[in-house]
Amino acid sequence: MLDNWDWQLFCRDTLDESVVFSSCFGQDGEVSYLDWLFTAWGWTVSVALSALVIALLVGSIIGVLRTLPDNKGLVRFGNAWVELFRNIPLLVQIFLWYHVLPALIPAFKQFPPFILVVLALGLFTSARIAEQVRAGIQALPKGQRYAGMALGFTTPQYYRYVILPMAYRIIIPPLTSESMNIFKNSAVAFAVSIPELTQYAMQVGEETAKPIQVYLAVTVLYVMSALVINRIMATIEKRTRVPGFVAAGVGGGH
């Protein structure tokens, strides 16, 4: 079976599929399938990282709102946000952002598909991160909150200086999993024609009739992307760990 595989597939021209590139990269304006693969990888990384930034910012804000004392209105808003975004399938949310919102709100027609996909993926993930932030804050002893209040801190100040630095240390392992998931979930961008890895695999697999090699290459790139995130988060966890507070040596299972 392996003898039938075309190992020069990625060195072929995307137009006439002839092997014309000694380095497998296109020259003089020509494009090889390897060029196309790395371009698709770039789109995947761009979608995932942009969505991750939105997810971390919005998820942190919503997570904090859900733990505010004596403000039931903001707590209900945070709870509603989480229930809304985590109970609708991601693919449906992508279609809502791409097809429904531009029809209801004309301003969204000016947004390129990339922005709409990033917003959909980022807000979907923000609900999951908000839940983790809430859990991290509520896992802290109440004495830390009271200590901040005793020092004369306002609510924003004791969240900033006392509670959040400790809560984030607690939730780094689930945040690592979420950061890796966002790379995998970015595959849904193919549904609105973002030229990322999954769309590349589908299109090149059909054009070349060599889907096995194509999907193997795409799988390797997804795994590499997730592993890079894993190692970055593991380093952050190691450097920010507070001895005796978060269990040492709990680095696996991300």
Side-chain angles (χ1 to χ4, degrees), residues 54-55 57-63 65-66 73-88 93 97 119-120 122-131:
I54 292 176
L57 290 174
V58 178
S60 296
I61 293 171
I62 298 297
L65 292 182
R66 299 180 71 197
L74 290 178
V75 173
R76 290 194 185 100
F77 172 77
N79 291 338
W81 180 281
V82 170
E83 296 305 321
L84 174 66
F85 283 99
R86 76 176 178 180
N87 286 316
I88 302 175
Q93 292 193 36
W97 279 91
L119 288 172
L123 296 183
F124 171 81
T125 309
S126 74
R128 302 164 64 88
I129 291 179
E131 184 67 7

PDB file of all heavy atoms in Angstrom, residues 54-55 57-63 65-66 73-88 93 97 119-120 122-131:
ATOM      1  N   ILE A  54      -9.387  37.027  22.281  1.00  0.00           N
ATOM      2  CA  ILE A  54     -10.760  37.447  22.618  1.00  0.00           C
ATOM      3  C   ILE A  54     -11.328  36.582  23.739  1.00  0.00           C
ATOM      4  O   ILE A  54     -11.955  37.080  24.683  1.00  0.00           O
ATOM      5  CB  ILE A  54     -11.649  37.364  21.361  1.00  0.00           C
ATOM      6  CG1 ILE A  54     -11.216  38.425  20.350  1.00  0.00           C
ATOM      7  CG2 ILE A  54     -13.131  37.530  21.714  1.00  0.00           C
ATOM      8  CD1 ILE A  54     -11.951  38.369  19.036  1.00  0.00           C
ATOM      9  N   ALA A  55     -11.095  35.278  23.655  1.00  0.00           N
ATOM     10  CA  ALA A  55     -11.646  34.360  24.666  1.00  0.00           C
ATOM     11  C   ALA A  55     -11.073  34.649  26.048  1.00  0.00           C
ATOM     12  O   ALA A  55     -11.805  34.631  27.048  1.00  0.00           O
ATOM     13  CB  ALA A  55     -11.354  32.921  24.264  1.00  0.00           C
ATOM     14  N   LEU A  57      -9.766  37.550  27.173  1.00  0.00           N
ATOM     15  CA  LEU A  57     -10.232  38.849  27.670  1.00  0.00           C
ATOM     16  C   LEU A  57     -11.692  38.784  28.112  1.00  0.00           C
ATOM     17  O   LEU A  57     -12.029  39.142  29.248  1.00  0.00           O
ATOM     18  CB  LEU A  57     -10.048  39.922  26.586  1.00  0.00           C
ATOM     19  CG  LEU A  57      -8.610  40.335  26.272  1.00  0.00           C
ATOM     20  CD1 LEU A  57      -8.582  41.298  25.088  1.00  0.00           C
ATOM     21  CD2 LEU A  57      -7.968  40.983  27.488  1.00  0.00           C
ATOM     22  N   VAL A  58     -12.547  38.323  27.220  1.00  0.00           N
ATOM     23  CA  VAL A  58     -13.987  38.292  27.535  1.00  0.00           C
ATOM     24  C   VAL A  58     -14.273  37.250  28.620  1.00  0.00           C
ATOM     25  O   VAL A  58     -15.063  37.503  29.539  1.00  0.00           O
ATOM     26  CB  VAL A  58     -14.799  37.993  26.256  1.00  0.00           C
ATOM     27  CG1 VAL A  58     -16.286  37.914  26.581  1.00  0.00           C
ATOM     28  CG2 VAL A  58     -14.541  39.058  25.207  1.00  0.00           C
ATOM     29  N   GLY A  59     -13.633  36.082  28.531  1.00  0.00           N
ATOM     30  CA  GLY A  59     -13.863  35.047  29.534  1.00  0.00           C
ATOM     31  C   GLY A  59     -13.455  35.499  30.926  1.00  0.00           C
ATOM     32  O   GLY A  59     -14.137  35.189  31.911  1.00  0.00           O
ATOM     33  N   SER A  60     -12.354  36.242  31.028  1.00  0.00           N
ATOM     34  CA  SER A  60     -11.915  36.741  32.334  1.00  0.00           C
ATOM     35  C   SER A  60     -12.917  37.744  32.898  1.00  0.00           C
ATOM     36  O   SER A  60     -13.262  37.699  34.090  1.00  0.00           O
ATOM     37  CB  SER A  60     -10.538  37.393  32.209  1.00  0.00           C
ATOM     38  OG  SER A  60      -9.569  36.442  31.818  1.00  0.00           O
ATOM     39  N   ILE A  61     -13.390  38.646  32.043  1.00  0.00           N
ATOM     40  CA  ILE A  61     -14.362  39.644  32.509  1.00  0.00           C
ATOM     41  C   ILE A  61     -15.657  38.968  32.971  1.00  0.00           C
ATOM     42  O   ILE A  61     -16.176  39.263  34.061  1.00  0.00           O
ATOM     43  CB  ILE A  61     -14.650  40.662  31.381  1.00  0.00           C
ATOM     44  CG1 ILE A  61     -13.399  41.493  31.088  1.00  0.00           C
ATOM     45  CG2 ILE A  61     -15.825  41.568  31.759  1.00  0.00           C
ATOM     46  CD1 ILE A  61     -13.511  42.369  29.854  1.00  0.00           C
ATOM     47  N   ILE A  62     -16.166  38.061  32.154  1.00  0.00           N
ATOM     48  CA  ILE A  62     -17.423  37.388  32.513  1.00  0.00           C
ATOM     49  C   ILE A  62     -17.235  36.529  33.765  1.00  0.00           C
ATOM     50  O   ILE A  62     -18.108  36.485  34.652  1.00  0.00           O
ATOM     51  CB  ILE A  62     -17.919  36.516  31.343  1.00  0.00           C
ATOM     52  CG1 ILE A  62     -18.220  37.386  30.126  1.00  0.00           C
ATOM     53  CG2 ILE A  62     -19.161  35.724  31.757  1.00  0.00           C
ATOM     54  CD1 ILE A  62     -19.328  38.398  30.342  1.00  0.00           C
ATOM     55  N   GLY A  63     -16.079  35.871  33.873  1.00  0.00           N
ATOM     56  CA  GLY A  63     -15.814  35.050  35.055  1.00  0.00           C
ATOM     57  C   GLY A  63     -15.791  35.881  36.329  1.00  0.00           C
ATOM     58  O   GLY A  63     -16.308  35.463  37.373  1.00  0.00           O
ATOM     59  N   LEU A  65     -17.325  38.838  36.729  1.00  0.00           N
ATOM     60  CA  LEU A  65     -18.686  39.342  36.983  1.00  0.00           C
ATOM     61  C   LEU A  65     -19.529  38.317  37.736  1.00  0.00           C
ATOM     62  O   LEU A  65     -20.354  38.673  38.586  1.00  0.00           O
ATOM     63  CB  LEU A  65     -19.379  39.682  35.651  1.00  0.00           C
ATOM     64  CG  LEU A  65     -18.824  40.873  34.863  1.00  0.00           C
ATOM     65  CD1 LEU A  65     -19.648  41.105  33.600  1.00  0.00           C
ATOM     66  CD2 LEU A  65     -18.795  42.124  35.714  1.00  0.00           C
ATOM     67  N   ARG A  66     -19.307  37.033  37.440  1.00  0.00           N
ATOM     68  CA  ARG A  66     -20.113  35.983  38.074  1.00  0.00           C
ATOM     69  C   ARG A  66     -19.788  35.787  39.553  1.00  0.00           C
ATOM     70  O   ARG A  66     -20.513  35.082  40.251  1.00  0.00           O
ATOM     71  CB  ARG A  66     -19.915  34.658  37.327  1.00  0.00           C
ATOM     72  CG  ARG A  66     -20.340  34.721  35.870  1.00  0.00           C
ATOM     73  CD  ARG A  66     -20.130  33.396  35.199  1.00  0.00           C
ATOM     74  NE  ARG A  66     -21.100  32.412  35.668  1.00  0.00           N
ATOM     75  CZ  ARG A  66     -20.958  31.109  35.501  1.00  0.00           C
ATOM     76  NH1 ARG A  66     -19.869  30.637  34.915  1.00  0.00           N
ATOM     77  NH2 ARG A  66     -21.881  30.286  35.938  1.00  0.00           N
ATOM     78  N   GLY A  73     -27.349  41.683  39.528  1.00  0.00           N
ATOM     79  CA  GLY A  73     -27.608  41.965  38.118  1.00  0.00           C
ATOM     80  C   GLY A  73     -26.455  41.520  37.234  1.00  0.00           C
ATOM     81  O   GLY A  73     -26.649  40.851  36.218  1.00  0.00           O
ATOM     82  N   LEU A  74     -25.215  41.881  37.624  1.00  0.00           N
ATOM     83  CA  LEU A  74     -24.047  41.484  36.844  1.00  0.00           C
ATOM     84  C   LEU A  74     -23.817  39.979  36.926  1.00  0.00           C
ATOM     85  O   LEU A  74     -23.366  39.358  35.952  1.00  0.00           O
ATOM     86  CB  LEU A  74     -22.808  42.239  37.344  1.00  0.00           C
ATOM     87  CG  LEU A  74     -22.786  43.745  37.031  1.00  0.00           C
ATOM     88  CD1 LEU A  74     -21.537  44.404  37.619  1.00  0.00           C
ATOM     89  CD2 LEU A  74     -22.838  43.985  35.524  1.00  0.00           C
ATOM     90  N   VAL A  75     -24.110  39.390  38.076  1.00  0.00           N
ATOM     91  CA  VAL A  75     -23.964  37.934  38.198  1.00  0.00           C
ATOM     92  C   VAL A  75     -24.922  37.228  37.233  1.00  0.00           C
ATOM     93  O   VAL A  75     -24.535  36.287  36.537  1.00  0.00           O
ATOM     94  CB  VAL A  75     -24.235  37.492  39.650  1.00  0.00           C
ATOM     95  CG1 VAL A  75     -24.256  35.956  39.737  1.00  0.00           C
ATOM     96  CG2 VAL A  75     -23.156  38.054  40.585  1.00  0.00           C
ATOM     97  N   ARG A  76     -26.161  37.703  37.174  1.00  0.00           N
ATOM     98  CA  ARG A  76     -27.130  37.090  36.250  1.00  0.00           C
ATOM     99  C   ARG A  76     -26.688  37.288  34.794  1.00  0.00           C
ATOM    100  O   ARG A  76     -26.849  36.396  33.965  1.00  0.00           O
ATOM    101  CB  ARG A  76     -28.517  37.709  36.469  1.00  0.00           C
ATOM    102  CG  ARG A  76     -29.170  37.321  37.791  1.00  0.00           C
ATOM    103  CD  ARG A  76     -30.654  37.682  37.784  1.00  0.00           C
ATOM    104  NE  ARG A  76     -31.272  37.424  39.076  1.00  0.00           N
ATOM    105  CZ  ARG A  76     -31.510  38.350  39.992  1.00  0.00           C
ATOM    106  NH1 ARG A  76     -31.197  39.604  39.745  1.00  0.00           N
ATOM    107  NH2 ARG A  76     -32.060  38.029  41.153  1.00  0.00           N
ATOM    108  N   PHE A  77     -26.145  38.479  34.488  1.00  0.00           N
ATOM    109  CA  PHE A  77     -25.666  38.719  33.122  1.00  0.00           C
ATOM    110  C   PHE A  77     -24.543  37.734  32.774  1.00  0.00           C
ATOM    111  O   PHE A  77     -24.528  37.147  31.686  1.00  0.00           O
ATOM    112  CB  PHE A  77     -25.154  40.158  32.998  1.00  0.00           C
ATOM    113  CG  PHE A  77     -24.461  40.434  31.686  1.00  0.00           C
ATOM    114  CD1 PHE A  77     -25.202  40.630  30.527  1.00  0.00           C
ATOM    115  CD2 PHE A  77     -23.071  40.475  31.618  1.00  0.00           C
ATOM    116  CE1 PHE A  77     -24.560  40.874  29.312  1.00  0.00           C
ATOM    117  CE2 PHE A  77     -22.425  40.719  30.415  1.00  0.00           C
ATOM    118  CZ  PHE A  77     -23.174  40.917  29.263  1.00  0.00           C
ATOM    119  N   GLY A  78     -23.603  37.546  33.704  1.00  0.00           N
ATOM    120  CA  GLY A  78     -22.505  36.605  33.461  1.00  0.00           C
ATOM    121  C   GLY A  78     -23.010  35.182  33.289  1.00  0.00           C
ATOM    122  O   GLY A  78     -22.550  34.449  32.391  1.00  0.00           O
ATOM    123  N   ASN A  79     -23.952  34.779  34.139  1.00  0.00           N
ATOM    124  CA  ASN A  79     -24.511  33.423  34.023  1.00  0.00           C
ATOM    125  C   ASN A  79     -25.233  33.232  32.685  1.00  0.00           C
ATOM    126  O   ASN A  79     -25.105  32.183  32.043  1.00  0.00           O
ATOM    127  CB  ASN A  79     -25.477  33.162  35.177  1.00  0.00           C
ATOM    128  CG  ASN A  79     -24.758  33.065  36.517  1.00  0.00           C
ATOM    129  OD1 ASN A  79     -23.560  32.800  36.576  1.00  0.00           O
ATOM    130  ND2 ASN A  79     -25.485  33.296  37.597  1.00  0.00           N
ATOM    131  N   ALA A  80     -25.978  34.265  32.275  1.00  0.00           N
ATOM    132  CA  ALA A  80     -26.708  34.168  30.998  1.00  0.00           C
ATOM    133  C   ALA A  80     -25.736  34.066  29.824  1.00  0.00           C
ATOM    134  O   ALA A  80     -25.975  33.314  28.870  1.00  0.00           O
ATOM    135  CB  ALA A  80     -27.619  35.395  30.841  1.00  0.00           C
ATOM    136  N   TRP A  81     -24.647  34.826  29.894  1.00  0.00           N
ATOM    137  CA  TRP A  81     -23.626  34.783  28.831  1.00  0.00           C
ATOM    138  C   TRP A  81     -23.075  33.367  28.676  1.00  0.00           C
ATOM    139  O   TRP A  81     -22.996  32.827  27.562  1.00  0.00           O
ATOM    140  CB  TRP A  81     -22.493  35.751  29.182  1.00  0.00           C
ATOM    141  CG  TRP A  81     -21.388  35.801  28.176  1.00  0.00           C
ATOM    142  CD1 TRP A  81     -20.361  34.909  28.023  1.00  0.00           C
ATOM    143  CD2 TRP A  81     -21.198  36.805  27.163  1.00  0.00           C
ATOM    144  NE1 TRP A  81     -19.546  35.271  26.997  1.00  0.00           N
ATOM    145  CE2 TRP A  81     -20.033  36.438  26.453  1.00  0.00           C
ATOM    146  CE3 TRP A  81     -21.882  37.959  26.813  1.00  0.00           C
ATOM    147  CZ2 TRP A  81     -19.553  37.197  25.401  1.00  0.00           C
ATOM    148  CZ3 TRP A  81     -21.393  38.711  25.758  1.00  0.00           C
ATOM    149  CH2 TRP A  81     -20.248  38.334  25.076  1.00  0.00           C
ATOM    150  N   VAL A  82     -22.712  32.764  29.794  1.00  0.00           N
ATOM    151  CA  VAL A  82     -22.126  31.425  29.748  1.00  0.00           C
ATOM    152  C   VAL A  82     -23.131  30.414  29.202  1.00  0.00           C
ATOM    153  O   VAL A  82     -22.809  29.591  28.326  1.00  0.00           O
ATOM    154  CB  VAL A  82     -21.639  31.014  31.154  1.00  0.00           C
ATOM    155  CG1 VAL A  82     -21.243  29.535  31.174  1.00  0.00           C
ATOM    156  CG2 VAL A  82     -20.459  31.878  31.570  1.00  0.00           C
ATOM    157  N   GLU A  83     -24.358  30.468  29.704  1.00  0.00           N
ATOM    158  CA  GLU A  83     -25.359  29.500  29.252  1.00  0.00           C
ATOM    159  C   GLU A  83     -25.685  29.677  27.772  1.00  0.00           C
ATOM    160  O   GLU A  83     -25.925  28.704  27.057  1.00  0.00           O
ATOM    161  CB  GLU A  83     -26.635  29.638  30.098  1.00  0.00           C
ATOM    162  CG  GLU A  83     -26.434  29.289  31.565  1.00  0.00           C
ATOM    163  CD  GLU A  83     -25.847  27.901  31.755  1.00  0.00           C
ATOM    164  OE1 GLU A  83     -26.233  26.983  31.007  1.00  0.00           O
ATOM    165  OE2 GLU A  83     -24.991  27.742  32.648  1.00  0.00           O
ATOM    166  N   LEU A  84     -25.684  30.939  27.306  1.00  0.00           N
ATOM    167  CA  LEU A  84     -25.998  31.189  25.893  1.00  0.00           C
ATOM    168  C   LEU A  84     -24.931  30.599  24.979  1.00  0.00           C
ATOM    169  O   LEU A  84     -25.238  29.864  24.039  1.00  0.00           O
ATOM    170  CB  LEU A  84     -26.126  32.698  25.663  1.00  0.00           C
ATOM    171  CG  LEU A  84     -26.305  33.130  24.191  1.00  0.00           C
ATOM    172  CD1 LEU A  84     -27.642  32.622  23.651  1.00  0.00           C
ATOM    173  CD2 LEU A  84     -26.230  34.650  24.066  1.00  0.00           C
ATOM    174  N   PHE A  85     -23.671  30.919  25.248  1.00  0.00           N
ATOM    175  CA  PHE A  85     -22.624  30.555  24.302  1.00  0.00           C
ATOM    176  C   PHE A  85     -22.174  29.099  24.419  1.00  0.00           C
ATOM    177  O   PHE A  85     -21.666  28.534  23.457  1.00  0.00           O
ATOM    178  CB  PHE A  85     -21.414  31.487  24.464  1.00  0.00           C
ATOM    179  CG  PHE A  85     -21.634  32.833  23.838  1.00  0.00           C
ATOM    180  CD1 PHE A  85     -22.013  33.911  24.601  1.00  0.00           C
ATOM    181  CD2 PHE A  85     -21.476  33.011  22.472  1.00  0.00           C
ATOM    182  CE1 PHE A  85     -22.229  35.158  24.029  1.00  0.00           C
ATOM    183  CE2 PHE A  85     -21.690  34.250  21.886  1.00  0.00           C
ATOM    184  CZ  PHE A  85     -22.071  35.333  22.663  1.00  0.00           C
ATOM    185  N   ARG A  86     -22.363  28.491  25.582  1.00  0.00           N
ATOM    186  CA  ARG A  86     -21.886  27.109  25.668  1.00  0.00           C
ATOM    187  C   ARG A  86     -22.969  26.091  25.332  1.00  0.00           C
ATOM    188  O   ARG A  86     -22.663  24.905  25.241  1.00  0.00           O
ATOM    189  CB  ARG A  86     -21.307  26.823  27.054  1.00  0.00           C
ATOM    190  CG  ARG A  86     -22.320  26.631  28.166  1.00  0.00           C
ATOM    191  CD  ARG A  86     -21.606  26.261  29.447  1.00  0.00           C
ATOM    192  NE  ARG A  86     -22.522  26.105  30.565  1.00  0.00           N
ATOM    193  CZ  ARG A  86     -22.127  25.788  31.797  1.00  0.00           C
ATOM    194  NH1 ARG A  86     -20.848  25.615  32.056  1.00  0.00           N
ATOM    195  NH2 ARG A  86     -23.011  25.657  32.771  1.00  0.00           N
ATOM    196  N   ASN A  87     -24.203  26.555  25.156  1.00  0.00           N
ATOM    197  CA  ASN A  87     -25.285  25.628  24.835  1.00  0.00           C
ATOM    198  C   ASN A  87     -25.673  25.639  23.366  1.00  0.00           C
ATOM    199  O   ASN A  87     -26.635  24.975  22.972  1.00  0.00           O
ATOM    200  CB  ASN A  87     -26.514  25.936  25.695  1.00  0.00           C
ATOM    201  CG  ASN A  87     -26.308  25.492  27.132  1.00  0.00           C
ATOM    202  OD1 ASN A  87     -25.808  24.394  27.372  1.00  0.00           O
ATOM    203  ND2 ASN A  87     -26.668  26.334  28.088  1.00  0.00           N
ATOM    204  N   ILE A  88     -24.953  26.397  22.556  1.00  0.00           N
ATOM    205  CA  ILE A  88     -25.196  26.396  21.107  1.00  0.00           C
ATOM    206  C   ILE A  88     -23.960  25.790  20.436  1.00  0.00           C
ATOM    207  O   ILE A  88     -22.849  26.232  20.703  1.00  0.00           O
ATOM    208  CB  ILE A  88     -25.428  27.825  20.575  1.00  0.00           C
ATOM    209  CG1 ILE A  88     -26.620  28.472  21.294  1.00  0.00           C
ATOM    210  CG2 ILE A  88     -25.677  27.803  19.073  1.00  0.00           C
ATOM    211  CD1 ILE A  88     -26.843  29.920  20.920  1.00  0.00           C
ATOM    212  N   GLN A  93     -23.008  28.453  15.717  1.00  0.00           N
ATOM    213  CA  GLN A  93     -22.617  29.839  16.016  1.00  0.00           C
ATOM    214  C   GLN A  93     -21.861  30.458  14.839  1.00  0.00           C
ATOM    215  O   GLN A  93     -22.027  31.652  14.541  1.00  0.00           O
ATOM    216  CB  GLN A  93     -21.765  29.888  17.284  1.00  0.00           C
ATOM    217  CG  GLN A  93     -22.545  29.525  18.541  1.00  0.00           C
ATOM    218  CD  GLN A  93     -21.809  29.878  19.814  1.00  0.00           C
ATOM    219  OE1 GLN A  93     -21.116  30.892  19.882  1.00  0.00           O
ATOM    220  NE2 GLN A  93     -21.969  29.048  20.840  1.00  0.00           N
ATOM    221  N   TRP A  97     -23.111  33.883  12.967  1.00  0.00           N
ATOM    222  CA  TRP A  97     -22.289  35.083  12.768  1.00  0.00           C
ATOM    223  C   TRP A  97     -22.126  35.403  11.286  1.00  0.00           C
ATOM    224  O   TRP A  97     -22.073  36.572  10.901  1.00  0.00           O
ATOM    225  CB  TRP A  97     -20.916  34.888  13.413  1.00  0.00           C
ATOM    226  CG  TRP A  97     -20.915  35.144  14.891  1.00  0.00           C
ATOM    227  CD1 TRP A  97     -21.138  34.235  15.888  1.00  0.00           C
ATOM    228  CD2 TRP A  97     -20.694  36.390  15.551  1.00  0.00           C
ATOM    229  NE1 TRP A  97     -21.074  34.830  17.116  1.00  0.00           N
ATOM    230  CE2 TRP A  97     -20.797  36.150  16.944  1.00  0.00           C
ATOM    231  CE3 TRP A  97     -20.423  37.676  15.112  1.00  0.00           C
ATOM    232  CZ2 TRP A  97     -20.638  37.161  17.886  1.00  0.00           C
ATOM    233  CZ3 TRP A  97     -20.252  38.687  16.051  1.00  0.00           C
ATOM    234  CH2 TRP A  97     -20.359  38.421  17.419  1.00  0.00           C
ATOM    235  N   LEU A 119     -14.619  36.110  15.954  1.00  0.00           N
ATOM    236  CA  LEU A 119     -15.585  36.489  16.989  1.00  0.00           C
ATOM    237  C   LEU A 119     -16.398  35.279  17.452  1.00  0.00           C
ATOM    238  O   LEU A 119     -16.603  35.073  18.653  1.00  0.00           O
ATOM    239  CB  LEU A 119     -16.517  37.579  16.450  1.00  0.00           C
ATOM    240  CG  LEU A 119     -15.900  38.974  16.277  1.00  0.00           C
ATOM    241  CD1 LEU A 119     -16.873  39.906  15.560  1.00  0.00           C
ATOM    242  CD2 LEU A 119     -15.522  39.550  17.636  1.00  0.00           C
ATOM    243  N   ALA A 120     -16.850  34.475  16.510  1.00  0.00           N
ATOM    244  CA  ALA A 120     -17.651  33.297  16.874  1.00  0.00           C
ATOM    245  C   ALA A 120     -16.840  32.332  17.730  1.00  0.00           C
ATOM    246  O   ALA A 120     -17.300  31.871  18.787  1.00  0.00           O
ATOM    247  CB  ALA A 120     -18.147  32.596  15.614  1.00  0.00           C
ATOM    248  N   GLY A 122     -14.012  32.948  19.382  1.00  0.00           N
ATOM    249  CA  GLY A 122     -13.553  33.584  20.613  1.00  0.00           C
ATOM    250  C   GLY A 122     -14.655  33.671  21.660  1.00  0.00           C
ATOM    251  O   GLY A 122     -14.430  33.367  22.837  1.00  0.00           O
ATOM    252  N   LEU A 123     -15.854  34.060  21.262  1.00  0.00           N
ATOM    253  CA  LEU A 123     -16.950  34.185  22.234  1.00  0.00           C
ATOM    254  C   LEU A 123     -17.439  32.815  22.696  1.00  0.00           C
ATOM    255  O   LEU A 123     -17.815  32.651  23.860  1.00  0.00           O
ATOM    256  CB  LEU A 123     -18.091  34.999  21.628  1.00  0.00           C
ATOM    257  CG  LEU A 123     -17.733  36.459  21.292  1.00  0.00           C
ATOM    258  CD1 LEU A 123     -18.941  37.203  20.762  1.00  0.00           C
ATOM    259  CD2 LEU A 123     -17.146  37.174  22.505  1.00  0.00           C
ATOM    260  N   PHE A 124     -17.434  31.841  21.796  1.00  0.00           N
ATOM    261  CA  PHE A 124     -17.787  30.471  22.210  1.00  0.00           C
ATOM    262  C   PHE A 124     -16.824  29.984  23.290  1.00  0.00           C
ATOM    263  O   PHE A 124     -17.236  29.464  24.333  1.00  0.00           O
ATOM    264  CB  PHE A 124     -17.726  29.540  20.990  1.00  0.00           C
ATOM    265  CG  PHE A 124     -17.856  28.076  21.333  1.00  0.00           C
ATOM    266  CD1 PHE A 124     -19.104  27.512  21.550  1.00  0.00           C
ATOM    267  CD2 PHE A 124     -16.731  27.264  21.435  1.00  0.00           C
ATOM    268  CE1 PHE A 124     -19.229  26.165  21.862  1.00  0.00           C
ATOM    269  CE2 PHE A 124     -16.848  25.918  21.748  1.00  0.00           C
ATOM    270  CZ  PHE A 124     -18.094  25.371  21.965  1.00  0.00           C
ATOM    271  N   THR A 125     -15.538  30.210  23.093  1.00  0.00           N
ATOM    272  CA  THR A 125     -14.542  29.755  24.065  1.00  0.00           C
ATOM    273  C   THR A 125     -14.557  30.607  25.324  1.00  0.00           C
ATOM    274  O   THR A 125     -14.212  30.140  26.407  1.00  0.00           O
ATOM    275  CB  THR A 125     -13.143  29.781  23.424  1.00  0.00           C
ATOM    276  OG1 THR A 125     -13.180  29.082  22.174  1.00  0.00           O
ATOM    277  CG2 THR A 125     -12.111  29.103  24.312  1.00  0.00           C
ATOM    278  N   SER A 126     -14.981  31.879  25.192  1.00  0.00           N
ATOM    279  CA  SER A 126     -15.013  32.759  26.371  1.00  0.00           C
ATOM    280  C   SER A 126     -15.947  32.211  27.444  1.00  0.00           C
ATOM    281  O   SER A 126     -15.696  32.380  28.642  1.00  0.00           O
ATOM    282  CB  SER A 126     -15.449  34.170  25.972  1.00  0.00           C
ATOM    283  OG  SER A 126     -16.842  34.227  25.690  1.00  0.00           O
ATOM    284  N   ALA A 127     -17.042  31.557  27.025  1.00  0.00           N
ATOM    285  CA  ALA A 127     -17.974  30.995  28.007  1.00  0.00           C
ATOM    286  C   ALA A 127     -17.296  29.891  28.824  1.00  0.00           C
ATOM    287  O   ALA A 127     -17.508  29.775  30.032  1.00  0.00           O
ATOM    288  CB  ALA A 127     -19.213  30.451  27.295  1.00  0.00           C
ATOM    289  N   ARG A 128     -16.478  29.103  28.169  1.00  0.00           N
ATOM    290  CA  ARG A 128     -15.783  28.010  28.858  1.00  0.00           C
ATOM    291  C   ARG A 128     -14.704  28.568  29.787  1.00  0.00           C
ATOM    292  O   ARG A 128     -14.516  28.103  30.908  1.00  0.00           O
ATOM    293  CB  ARG A 128     -15.184  27.056  27.824  1.00  0.00           C
ATOM    294  CG  ARG A 128     -16.239  26.466  26.881  1.00  0.00           C
ATOM    295  CD  ARG A 128     -15.601  25.840  25.641  1.00  0.00           C
ATOM    296  NE  ARG A 128     -14.763  24.716  25.999  1.00  0.00           N
ATOM    297  CZ  ARG A 128     -15.180  23.464  26.116  1.00  0.00           C
ATOM    298  NH1 ARG A 128     -16.456  23.187  25.891  1.00  0.00           N
ATOM    299  NH2 ARG A 128     -14.354  22.504  26.437  1.00  0.00           N
ATOM    300  N   ILE A 129     -13.982  29.606  29.329  1.00  0.00           N
ATOM    301  CA  ILE A 129     -12.952  30.213  30.176  1.00  0.00           C
ATOM    302  C   ILE A 129     -13.587  30.957  31.347  1.00  0.00           C
ATOM    303  O   ILE A 129     -13.053  30.946  32.467  1.00  0.00           O
ATOM    304  CB  ILE A 129     -12.065  31.141  29.328  1.00  0.00           C
ATOM    305  CG1 ILE A 129     -11.220  30.296  28.369  1.00  0.00           C
ATOM    306  CG2 ILE A 129     -11.165  32.004  30.218  1.00  0.00           C
ATOM    307  CD1 ILE A 129     -10.318  31.094  27.465  1.00  0.00           C
ATOM    308  N   ALA A 130     -14.736  31.581  31.119  1.00  0.00           N
ATOM    309  CA  ALA A 130     -15.444  32.266  32.213  1.00  0.00           C
ATOM    310  C   ALA A 130     -15.787  31.285  33.328  1.00  0.00           C
ATOM    311  O   ALA A 130     -15.686  31.622  34.517  1.00  0.00           O
ATOM    312  CB  ALA A 130     -16.710  32.930  31.678  1.00  0.00           C
ATOM    313  N   GLU A 131     -16.206  30.093  32.953  1.00  0.00           N
ATOM    314  CA  GLU A 131     -16.530  29.086  33.959  1.00  0.00           C
ATOM    315  C   GLU A 131     -15.278  28.679  34.747  1.00  0.00           C
ATOM    316  O   GLU A 131     -15.330  28.473  35.964  1.00  0.00           O
ATOM    317  CB  GLU A 131     -17.148  27.865  33.272  1.00  0.00           C
ATOM    318  CG  GLU A 131     -17.613  26.774  34.210  1.00  0.00           C
ATOM    319  CD  GLU A 131     -18.801  27.200  35.068  1.00  0.00           C
ATOM    320  OE1 GLU A 131     -19.341  28.286  34.842  1.00  0.00           O
ATOM    321  OE2 GLU A 131     -19.160  26.443  35.995  1.00  0.00           O
TER     322      GLU A 131
END
